[in-house]
Amino acid sequence: MTEAADVMQPAGGFDAPFVKELVRIWRAEDMSGAWAGKSDLDLLEPYILDKEKRRALPVIGDPDPDTVWRLELFFNAVAVSIEKATDVMIQPMLKMHHEGFGRLVLIGGRLIAVNKQLRDVHRFGFDNLAKLASEGNKYIRDGIKMIRKFPDVANY
């Protein structure tokens, strides 16, 4: 497990508010206590796909349910973070073809705050924890910016 911990330790990644929110979302999903003994890094490890792991995955493939679930939890953490910053309830919607392409939107009121085209979902992951935090923060910033630009639509 030290290899995963080494990959996941870039500066500031684990302390990022988005990463902490993602861990909270994971912990909230654990109704049976199966992950109570796991560290936060263990929970986040499936999001880390370094070059070797990514190369081992086929270029074309169907995403397994665990990967789709991790994608949903990632964007749920984005949605909750946007809600906390704007006081606008955000609802995620995912429409995906079984081959791993589709669209995810985060909706506030009648506003699409975040719109993400999905491709190659079976390869969803990040090089390291800092990149995970950076991508999550990018979606949060974009969502907040959109809500602040169109507050009447978001609060409709």
Side-chain angles (χ1 to χ4, degrees):
M1 198 70 184
T2 57
E3 297 168 32
D6 292 342
V7 171
M8 297 176 65
Q9 291 293 350
F14 193 71
D15 293 332
F18 171 73
V19 173
K20 290 179 180 182
E21 189 64 50
L22 183 56
V23 168
R24 277 194 285 275
I25 296 284
W26 270 79
R27 297 275 183 212
E29 291 286 323
D30 184 19
M31 298 298 181
S32 64
W35 302 322
K38 286 190 172 192
S39 73
D40 294 347
L41 286 175
D42 288 339
L43 295 178
L44 295 171
E45 193 274 330
Y47 287 101
I48 307 306
L49 285 179
D50 60 16
K51 290 180 182 177
E52 281 184 37
K53 288 180 183 177
R54 198 174 301 275
R55 237 181 267 128
L57 294 172
V59 174
I60 298 173
D62 297 347
D64 64 19
D66 288 341
T67 302
V68 174
W69 188 60
R70 280 193 307 274
L71 173 82
E72 289 175 350
L73 293 181
F74 176 87
F75 281 101
N76 286 347
V78 170
V80 168
S81 298
I82 294 170
E83 283 182 13
K84 287 179 178 179
T86 64
D87 290 329
V88 173
M89 185 185 297
I90 303 296
Q91 190 68 37
M93 291 183 66
L94 172 66
K95 176 68 175 167
M96 188 167 43
H97 190 271
H98 71 87
E99 291 178 350
F101 58 88
R103 176 171 288 191
L104 182 128
V105 293
L106 300 180
I107 301 170
R110 292 190 174 184
L111 178 71
I112 296 177
V114 174
N115 179 10
K116 172 67 176 157
Q117 286 290 116
L118 300 171
R119 291 191 327 238
D120 301 331
V121 168
H122 69 289
R123 301 178 95 186
F124 179 73
F126 306 91
D127 292 336
N128 54 50
L129 198 56
K131 189 73 167 170
L132 168 77
S134 173
E135 283 295 304
N137 287 333
K138 181 186 83 158
Y139 291 117
I140 293 165
R141 276 192 315 273
D142 290 349
I144 292 169
K145 182 179 172 183
M146 188 65 73
I147 289 170
R148 289 188 177 148
K149 186 173 183 176
F150 302 103
D152 293 340
V153 181
N155 291 299
Y156 190 84

